[in-house]
Amino acid sequence: MTKIIKWLINQGLSWLTGGTLDRVLSTVDKSIDNETERQKIRSEAILSHIKTQEGTRQVAMQSRVFWAVWALFAVPLGLWWAAVMLDTTFTFGWWVPDLPQSVKPWADTIFGSIFGSGAGVAGVQLISSAIRGKR
């Protein structure tokens, strides 16, 4: 009985609106589908860009010039950091100046790459040894 009443109400709405409601709802559905497709295309483009950048970096890291330039920045930064740590730990009374603001973003990137990659490798090794059961 309730199915018949629902059918009659639907038919009455369709007759009153002349199918306008159906057209509006189908337009909304198509709009949502189009937006979903746009988001999918955008995410595929971003993924393609990231993979291209990854490949470029892998090729660059095969070069000795890359590591020489990297060491040119990382070694003095490491020495500065060691001096700060020694002075802080043993209170030698050295006056180790802070890094200039123009160098600070580069130093943060270098520290992040050194310690971030080391922590990442250590984390992966810890997880893999736990999976293998060799803790």
Side-chain angles (χ1 to χ4, degrees), residues 7-46:
W7 183 80
L8 286 173
I9 291 172
N10 284 338
Q11 292 301 316
L13 281 175
S14 179
W15 178 75
L16 286 174
T17 61
T20 306
L21 184 62
D22 289 337
R23 288 190 301 247
V24 168
L25 291 178
S26 68
T27 302
V28 168
D29 286 342
K30 287 178 186 176
S31 174
I32 290 172
D33 289 343
N34 287 341
E35 183 62 30
T36 303
E37 191 64 30
R38 280 190 207 104
Q39 292 292 334
K40 183 179 177 184
I41 291 169
R42 185 178 298 136
S43 66
E44 288 173 357
I46 290 170

mmCIF file of all heavy atoms in Angstrom, residues 7-46:
data_model
loop_
_atom_site.group_PDB
_atom_site.id
_atom_site.type_symbol
_atom_site.label_atom_id
_atom_site.label_comp_id
_atom_site.label_asym_id
_atom_site.label_seq_id
_atom_site.Cartn_x
_atom_site.Cartn_y
_atom_site.Cartn_z
ATOM 1 N N TRP A 7 4.459 5.996 -5.139
ATOM 2 C CA TRP A 7 4.444 6.108 -6.604
ATOM 3 C C TRP A 7 3.514 7.235 -7.039
ATOM 4 O O TRP A 7 3.842 8.012 -7.927
ATOM 5 C CB TRP A 7 4.021 4.775 -7.217
ATOM 6 C CG TRP A 7 4.043 4.785 -8.710
ATOM 7 C CD1 TRP A 7 5.119 4.646 -9.517
ATOM 8 C CD2 TRP A 7 2.916 4.989 -9.563
ATOM 9 N NE1 TRP A 7 4.756 4.726 -10.822
ATOM 10 C CE2 TRP A 7 3.396 4.941 -10.884
ATOM 11 C CE3 TRP A 7 1.558 5.179 -9.349
ATOM 12 C CZ2 TRP A 7 2.553 5.090 -11.982
ATOM 13 C CZ3 TRP A 7 0.728 5.322 -10.432
ATOM 14 C CH2 TRP A 7 1.239 5.293 -11.745
ATOM 15 N N LEU A 8 2.349 7.323 -6.422
ATOM 16 C CA LEU A 8 1.393 8.383 -6.753
ATOM 17 C C LEU A 8 1.967 9.772 -6.437
ATOM 18 O O LEU A 8 1.806 10.718 -7.217
ATOM 19 C CB LEU A 8 0.080 8.184 -5.995
ATOM 20 C CG LEU A 8 -0.812 7.048 -6.493
ATOM 21 C CD1 LEU A 8 -2.003 6.845 -5.562
ATOM 22 C CD2 LEU A 8 -1.277 7.322 -7.913
ATOM 23 N N ILE A 9 2.677 9.892 -5.303
ATOM 24 C CA ILE A 9 3.278 11.182 -4.938
ATOM 25 C C ILE A 9 4.353 11.558 -5.953
ATOM 26 O O ILE A 9 4.419 12.699 -6.420
ATOM 27 C CB ILE A 9 3.844 11.135 -3.500
ATOM 28 C CG1 ILE A 9 2.688 11.053 -2.502
ATOM 29 C CG2 ILE A 9 4.717 12.346 -3.215
ATOM 30 C CD1 ILE A 9 3.115 10.819 -1.069
ATOM 31 N N ASN A 10 5.185 10.589 -6.312
ATOM 32 C CA ASN A 10 6.239 10.854 -7.300
ATOM 33 C C ASN A 10 5.639 11.257 -8.645
ATOM 34 O O ASN A 10 6.131 12.180 -9.303
ATOM 35 C CB ASN A 10 7.146 9.634 -7.482
ATOM 36 C CG ASN A 10 8.111 9.469 -6.328
ATOM 37 O OD1 ASN A 10 8.399 10.429 -5.628
ATOM 38 N ND2 ASN A 10 8.600 8.261 -6.141
ATOM 39 N N GLN A 11 4.606 10.574 -9.048
ATOM 40 C CA GLN A 11 3.967 10.903 -10.317
ATOM 41 C C GLN A 11 3.321 12.283 -10.249
ATOM 42 O O GLN A 11 3.367 13.053 -11.205
ATOM 43 C CB GLN A 11 2.916 9.845 -10.689
ATOM 44 C CG GLN A 11 3.498 8.497 -11.033
ATOM 45 C CD GLN A 11 4.450 8.581 -12.206
ATOM 46 O OE1 GLN A 11 4.183 9.240 -13.207
ATOM 47 N NE2 GLN A 11 5.582 7.911 -12.086
ATOM 48 N N GLY A 12 2.745 12.605 -9.104
ATOM 49 C CA GLY A 12 2.133 13.919 -8.923
ATOM 50 C C GLY A 12 3.173 15.023 -8.958
ATOM 51 O O GLY A 12 2.973 16.065 -9.592
ATOM 52 N N LEU A 13 4.313 14.827 -8.300
ATOM 53 C CA LEU A 13 5.386 15.822 -8.331
ATOM 54 C C LEU A 13 5.920 15.980 -9.750
ATOM 55 O O LEU A 13 6.181 17.092 -10.204
ATOM 56 C CB LEU A 13 6.528 15.425 -7.381
ATOM 57 C CG LEU A 13 6.301 15.705 -5.902
ATOM 58 C CD1 LEU A 13 7.467 15.158 -5.081
ATOM 59 C CD2 LEU A 13 6.137 17.188 -5.654
ATOM 60 N N SER A 14 6.086 14.868 -10.417
ATOM 61 C CA SER A 14 6.589 14.925 -11.788
ATOM 62 C C SER A 14 5.605 15.659 -12.688
ATOM 63 O O SER A 14 5.997 16.438 -13.550
ATOM 64 C CB SER A 14 6.827 13.511 -12.310
ATOM 65 O OG SER A 14 7.293 13.549 -13.630
ATOM 66 N N TRP A 15 4.328 15.415 -12.486
ATOM 67 C CA TRP A 15 3.303 16.084 -13.299
ATOM 68 C C TRP A 15 3.241 17.582 -12.982
ATOM 69 O O TRP A 15 3.136 18.411 -13.868
ATOM 70 C CB TRP A 15 1.952 15.425 -13.043
ATOM 71 C CG TRP A 15 0.848 16.078 -13.796
ATOM 72 C CD1 TRP A 15 0.596 15.968 -15.123
ATOM 73 C CD2 TRP A 15 -0.138 16.960 -13.267
ATOM 74 N NE1 TRP A 15 -0.487 16.718 -15.479
ATOM 75 C CE2 TRP A 15 -0.969 17.340 -14.334
ATOM 76 C CE3 TRP A 15 -0.408 17.447 -12.004
ATOM 77 C CZ2 TRP A 15 -2.040 18.197 -14.167
ATOM 78 C CZ3 TRP A 15 -1.480 18.284 -11.846
ATOM 79 C CH2 TRP A 15 -2.276 18.663 -12.926
ATOM 80 N N LEU A 16 3.373 17.935 -11.675
ATOM 81 C CA LEU A 16 3.313 19.345 -11.277
ATOM 82 C C LEU A 16 4.530 20.137 -11.761
ATOM 83 O O LEU A 16 4.396 21.272 -12.187
ATOM 84 C CB LEU A 16 3.204 19.465 -9.747
ATOM 85 C CG LEU A 16 1.853 19.114 -9.138
ATOM 86 C CD1 LEU A 16 1.935 19.140 -7.617
ATOM 87 C CD2 LEU A 16 0.776 20.058 -9.624
ATOM 88 N N THR A 17 5.695 19.544 -11.682
ATOM 89 C CA THR A 17 6.918 20.263 -12.062
ATOM 90 C C THR A 17 7.232 20.097 -13.538
ATOM 91 O O THR A 17 8.123 20.768 -14.044
ATOM 92 C CB THR A 17 8.112 19.776 -11.235
ATOM 93 O OG1 THR A 17 8.318 18.378 -11.469
ATOM 94 C CG2 THR A 17 7.917 20.059 -9.759
ATOM 95 N N GLY A 18 6.546 19.245 -14.204
ATOM 96 C CA GLY A 18 6.761 19.056 -15.637
ATOM 97 C C GLY A 18 8.125 18.451 -15.947
ATOM 98 O O GLY A 18 8.700 18.701 -16.995
ATOM 99 N N GLY A 19 8.691 17.675 -15.024
ATOM 100 C CA GLY A 19 9.998 17.050 -15.236
ATOM 101 C C GLY A 19 11.162 17.974 -14.927
ATOM 102 O O GLY A 19 12.311 17.606 -15.120
ATOM 103 N N THR A 20 10.872 19.183 -14.451
ATOM 104 C CA THR A 20 11.939 20.148 -14.144
ATOM 105 C C THR A 20 12.830 19.631 -13.029
ATOM 106 O O THR A 20 14.053 19.766 -13.089
ATOM 107 C CB THR A 20 11.323 21.502 -13.721
ATOM 108 O OG1 THR A 20 10.423 21.932 -14.734
ATOM 109 C CG2 THR A 20 12.384 22.539 -13.506
ATOM 110 N N LEU A 21 12.232 19.028 -12.029
ATOM 111 C CA LEU A 21 13.009 18.502 -10.907
ATOM 112 C C LEU A 21 13.991 17.441 -11.388
ATOM 113 O O LEU A 21 15.161 17.430 -10.981
ATOM 114 C CB LEU A 21 12.071 17.950 -9.841
ATOM 115 C CG LEU A 21 12.724 17.442 -8.559
ATOM 116 C CD1 LEU A 21 13.441 18.598 -7.860
ATOM 117 C CD2 LEU A 21 11.694 16.838 -7.639
ATOM 118 N N ASP A 22 13.535 16.554 -12.277
ATOM 119 C CA ASP A 22 14.425 15.524 -12.818
ATOM 120 C C ASP A 22 15.583 16.146 -13.584
ATOM 121 O O ASP A 22 16.730 15.713 -13.470
ATOM 122 C CB ASP A 22 13.653 14.570 -13.735
ATOM 123 C CG ASP A 22 12.714 13.668 -12.958
ATOM 124 O OD1 ASP A 22 12.968 13.461 -11.747
ATOM 125 O OD2 ASP A 22 11.739 13.189 -13.568
ATOM 126 N N ARG A 23 15.300 17.186 -14.369
ATOM 127 C CA ARG A 23 16.355 17.857 -15.139
ATOM 128 C C ARG A 23 17.347 18.547 -14.215
ATOM 129 O O ARG A 23 18.556 18.502 -14.438
ATOM 130 C CB ARG A 23 15.751 18.841 -16.128
ATOM 131 C CG ARG A 23 15.067 18.145 -17.305
ATOM 132 C CD ARG A 23 14.714 19.157 -18.363
ATOM 133 N NE ARG A 23 13.828 20.188 -17.811
ATOM 134 C CZ ARG A 23 12.567 20.370 -18.158
ATOM 135 N NH1 ARG A 23 12.029 19.620 -19.085
ATOM 136 N NH2 ARG A 23 11.842 21.318 -17.605
ATOM 137 N N VAL A 24 16.855 19.195 -13.172
ATOM 138 C CA VAL A 24 17.745 19.869 -12.215
ATOM 139 C C VAL A 24 18.631 18.851 -11.509
ATOM 140 O O VAL A 24 19.845 19.045 -11.387
ATOM 141 C CB VAL A 24 16.922 20.694 -11.188
ATOM 142 C CG1 VAL A 24 17.786 21.153 -10.029
ATOM 143 C CG2 VAL A 24 16.265 21.873 -11.852
ATOM 144 N N LEU A 25 18.036 17.766 -11.060
ATOM 145 C CA LEU A 25 18.818 16.743 -10.364
ATOM 146 C C LEU A 25 19.847 16.097 -11.283
ATOM 147 O O LEU A 25 20.975 15.817 -10.876
ATOM 148 C CB LEU A 25 17.889 15.692 -9.761
ATOM 149 C CG LEU A 25 17.030 16.179 -8.579
ATOM 150 C CD1 LEU A 25 16.107 15.069 -8.102
ATOM 151 C CD2 LEU A 25 17.908 16.683 -7.453
ATOM 152 N N SER A 26 19.500 15.852 -12.546
ATOM 153 C CA SER A 26 20.469 15.263 -13.470
ATOM 154 C C SER A 26 21.589 16.255 -13.781
ATOM 155 O O SER A 26 22.746 15.863 -13.937
ATOM 156 C CB SER A 26 19.789 14.793 -14.757
ATOM 157 O OG SER A 26 19.319 15.894 -15.494
ATOM 158 N N THR A 27 21.257 17.551 -13.850
ATOM 159 C CA THR A 27 22.299 18.570 -14.067
ATOM 160 C C THR A 27 23.256 18.610 -12.885
ATOM 161 O O THR A 27 24.472 18.713 -13.066
ATOM 162 C CB THR A 27 21.658 19.958 -14.271
ATOM 163 O OG1 THR A 27 20.769 19.892 -15.391
ATOM 164 C CG2 THR A 27 22.701 21.020 -14.506
ATOM 165 N N VAL A 28 22.716 18.526 -11.664
ATOM 166 C CA VAL A 28 23.565 18.517 -10.473
ATOM 167 C C VAL A 28 24.458 17.277 -10.479
ATOM 168 O O VAL A 28 25.657 17.358 -10.177
ATOM 169 C CB VAL A 28 22.700 18.587 -9.194
ATOM 170 C CG1 VAL A 28 23.522 18.296 -7.956
ATOM 171 C CG2 VAL A 28 22.027 19.935 -9.088
ATOM 172 N N ASP A 29 23.912 16.121 -10.830
ATOM 173 C CA ASP A 29 24.706 14.897 -10.901
ATOM 174 C C ASP A 29 25.839 15.022 -11.912
ATOM 175 O O ASP A 29 26.970 14.616 -11.644
ATOM 176 C CB ASP A 29 23.823 13.697 -11.252
ATOM 177 C CG ASP A 29 22.957 13.252 -10.093
ATOM 178 O OD1 ASP A 29 23.262 13.636 -8.940
ATOM 179 O OD2 ASP A 29 21.975 12.523 -10.340
ATOM 180 N N LYS A 30 25.548 15.575 -13.080
ATOM 181 C CA LYS A 30 26.577 15.748 -14.108
ATOM 182 C C LYS A 30 27.656 16.722 -13.637
ATOM 183 O O LYS A 30 28.833 16.519 -13.894
ATOM 184 C CB LYS A 30 25.953 16.241 -15.410
ATOM 185 C CG LYS A 30 25.159 15.190 -16.132
ATOM 186 C CD LYS A 30 24.510 15.741 -17.386
ATOM 187 C CE LYS A 30 23.598 14.706 -18.030
ATOM 188 N NZ LYS A 30 22.901 15.240 -19.190
ATOM 189 N N SER A 31 27.254 17.775 -12.941
ATOM 190 C CA SER A 31 28.214 18.754 -12.426
ATOM 191 C C SER A 31 29.154 18.106 -11.415
ATOM 192 O O SER A 31 30.362 18.344 -11.429
ATOM 193 C CB SER A 31 27.476 19.918 -11.780
ATOM 194 O OG SER A 31 28.378 20.796 -11.170
ATOM 195 N N ILE A 32 28.596 17.291 -10.549
ATOM 196 C CA ILE A 32 29.423 16.595 -9.560
ATOM 197 C C ILE A 32 30.378 15.630 -10.255
ATOM 198 O O ILE A 32 31.549 15.539 -9.896
ATOM 199 C CB ILE A 32 28.529 15.873 -8.533
ATOM 200 C CG1 ILE A 32 27.822 16.911 -7.653
ATOM 201 C CG2 ILE A 32 29.338 14.914 -7.675
ATOM 202 C CD1 ILE A 32 26.769 16.335 -6.739
ATOM 203 N N ASP A 33 29.886 14.906 -11.249
ATOM 204 C CA ASP A 33 30.743 13.989 -12.005
ATOM 205 C C ASP A 33 31.866 14.741 -12.702
ATOM 206 O O ASP A 33 33.013 14.288 -12.729
ATOM 207 C CB ASP A 33 29.927 13.200 -13.026
ATOM 208 C CG ASP A 33 29.017 12.173 -12.366
ATOM 209 O OD1 ASP A 33 29.245 11.848 -11.176
ATOM 210 O OD2 ASP A 33 28.072 11.715 -13.036
ATOM 211 N N ASN A 34 31.564 15.913 -13.282
ATOM 212 C CA ASN A 34 32.587 16.716 -13.957
ATOM 213 C C ASN A 34 33.646 17.200 -12.964
ATOM 214 O O ASN A 34 34.833 17.189 -13.268
ATOM 215 C CB ASN A 34 31.955 17.911 -14.680
ATOM 216 C CG ASN A 34 31.194 17.510 -15.917
ATOM 217 O OD1 ASN A 34 31.400 16.430 -16.457
ATOM 218 N ND2 ASN A 34 30.297 18.371 -16.355
ATOM 219 N N GLU A 35 33.222 17.629 -11.791
ATOM 220 C CA GLU A 35 34.179 18.100 -10.780
ATOM 221 C C GLU A 35 35.056 16.952 -10.302
ATOM 222 O O GLU A 35 36.265 17.115 -10.116
ATOM 223 C CB GLU A 35 33.425 18.728 -9.593
ATOM 224 C CG GLU A 35 34.334 19.312 -8.545
ATOM 225 C CD GLU A 35 35.208 20.450 -9.063
ATOM 226 O OE1 GLU A 35 34.789 21.171 -9.983
ATOM 227 O OE2 GLU A 35 36.328 20.604 -8.542
ATOM 228 N N THR A 36 34.467 15.779 -10.132
ATOM 229 C CA THR A 36 35.248 14.605 -9.742
ATOM 230 C C THR A 36 36.279 14.280 -10.810
ATOM 231 O O THR A 36 37.438 13.987 -10.498
ATOM 232 C CB THR A 36 34.313 13.401 -9.517
ATOM 233 O OG1 THR A 36 33.349 13.746 -8.524
ATOM 234 C CG2 THR A 36 35.091 12.181 -9.081
ATOM 235 N N GLU A 37 35.901 14.354 -12.057
ATOM 236 C CA GLU A 37 36.828 14.080 -13.161
ATOM 237 C C GLU A 37 37.945 15.123 -13.195
ATOM 238 O O GLU A 37 39.105 14.788 -13.429
ATOM 239 C CB GLU A 37 36.066 14.067 -14.487
ATOM 240 C CG GLU A 37 36.859 13.536 -15.645
ATOM 241 C CD GLU A 37 37.247 12.077 -15.483
ATOM 242 O OE1 GLU A 37 36.521 11.310 -14.831
ATOM 243 O OE2 GLU A 37 38.311 11.701 -16.017
ATOM 244 N N ARG A 38 37.609 16.392 -12.939
ATOM 245 C CA ARG A 38 38.640 17.443 -12.895
ATOM 246 C C ARG A 38 39.647 17.168 -11.782
ATOM 247 O O ARG A 38 40.852 17.320 -11.967
ATOM 248 C CB ARG A 38 37.994 18.814 -12.678
ATOM 249 C CG ARG A 38 37.424 19.417 -13.908
ATOM 250 C CD ARG A 38 37.028 20.883 -13.639
ATOM 251 N NE ARG A 38 35.970 21.256 -14.532
ATOM 252 C CZ ARG A 38 34.690 21.375 -14.219
ATOM 253 N NH1 ARG A 38 34.289 21.195 -12.982
ATOM 254 N NH2 ARG A 38 33.802 21.703 -15.113
ATOM 255 N N GLN A 39 39.154 16.788 -10.629
ATOM 256 C CA GLN A 39 40.043 16.486 -9.506
ATOM 257 C C GLN A 39 40.940 15.288 -9.827
ATOM 258 O O GLN A 39 42.117 15.276 -9.476
ATOM 259 C CB GLN A 39 39.226 16.189 -8.235
ATOM 260 C CG GLN A 39 38.498 17.384 -7.674
ATOM 261 C CD GLN A 39 39.447 18.424 -7.125
ATOM 262 O OE1 GLN A 39 40.565 18.136 -6.727
ATOM 263 N NE2 GLN A 39 39.007 19.671 -7.125
ATOM 264 N N LYS A 40 40.389 14.314 -10.509
ATOM 265 C CA LYS A 40 41.173 13.132 -10.889
ATOM 266 C C LYS A 40 42.276 13.529 -11.870
ATOM 267 O O LYS A 40 43.425 13.107 -11.722
ATOM 268 C CB LYS A 40 40.256 12.085 -11.515
ATOM 269 C CG LYS A 40 40.947 10.806 -11.877
ATOM 270 C CD LYS A 40 39.964 9.808 -12.462
ATOM 271 C CE LYS A 40 40.674 8.555 -12.902
ATOM 272 N NZ LYS A 40 39.758 7.625 -13.550
ATOM 273 N N ILE A 41 41.957 14.340 -12.853
ATOM 274 C CA ILE A 41 42.946 14.796 -13.835
ATOM 275 C C ILE A 41 44.016 15.629 -13.141
ATOM 276 O O ILE A 41 45.213 15.466 -13.402
ATOM 277 C CB ILE A 41 42.258 15.590 -14.961
ATOM 278 C CG1 ILE A 41 41.403 14.649 -15.818
ATOM 279 C CG2 ILE A 41 43.289 16.312 -15.825
ATOM 280 C CD1 ILE A 41 40.488 15.367 -16.784
ATOM 281 N N ARG A 42 43.606 16.509 -12.236
ATOM 282 C CA ARG A 42 44.563 17.347 -11.500
ATOM 283 C C ARG A 42 45.503 16.485 -10.674
ATOM 284 O O ARG A 42 46.714 16.711 -10.645
ATOM 285 C CB ARG A 42 43.813 18.321 -10.605
ATOM 286 C CG ARG A 42 44.716 19.312 -9.902
ATOM 287 C CD ARG A 42 43.943 20.311 -9.063
ATOM 288 N NE ARG A 42 43.068 21.110 -9.896
ATOM 289 C CZ ARG A 42 41.815 21.411 -9.612
ATOM 290 N NH1 ARG A 42 41.271 20.985 -8.496
ATOM 291 N NH2 ARG A 42 41.094 22.150 -10.420
ATOM 292 N N SER A 43 44.983 15.484 -9.983
ATOM 293 C CA SER A 43 45.839 14.633 -9.151
ATOM 294 C C SER A 43 46.790 13.803 -10.003
ATOM 295 O O SER A 43 47.949 13.587 -9.617
ATOM 296 C CB SER A 43 44.988 13.724 -8.261
ATOM 297 O OG SER A 43 44.267 12.785 -9.041
ATOM 298 N N GLU A 44 46.358 13.363 -11.170
ATOM 299 C CA GLU A 44 47.257 12.623 -12.068
ATOM 300 C C GLU A 44 48.370 13.523 -12.587
ATOM 301 O O GLU A 44 49.515 13.090 -12.711
ATOM 302 C CB GLU A 44 46.463 12.021 -13.225
ATOM 303 C CG GLU A 44 45.593 10.849 -12.820
ATOM 304 C CD GLU A 44 44.680 10.367 -13.938
ATOM 305 O OE1 GLU A 44 44.672 10.973 -15.030
ATOM 306 O OE2 GLU A 44 43.955 9.379 -13.710
ATOM 307 N N ALA A 45 48.060 14.783 -12.875
ATOM 308 C CA ALA A 45 49.086 15.724 -13.337
ATOM 309 C C ALA A 45 50.109 15.998 -12.239
ATOM 310 O O ALA A 45 51.319 16.044 -12.493
ATOM 311 C CB ALA A 45 48.445 17.029 -13.799
ATOM 312 N N ILE A 46 49.639 16.165 -11.019
ATOM 313 C CA ILE A 46 50.552 16.409 -9.896
ATOM 314 C C ILE A 46 51.431 15.184 -9.658
ATOM 315 O O ILE A 46 52.644 15.309 -9.452
ATOM 316 C CB ILE A 46 49.752 16.779 -8.624
ATOM 317 C CG1 ILE A 46 49.125 18.154 -8.794
ATOM 318 C CG2 ILE A 46 50.632 16.737 -7.387
ATOM 319 C CD1 ILE A 46 48.131 18.517 -7.711
#
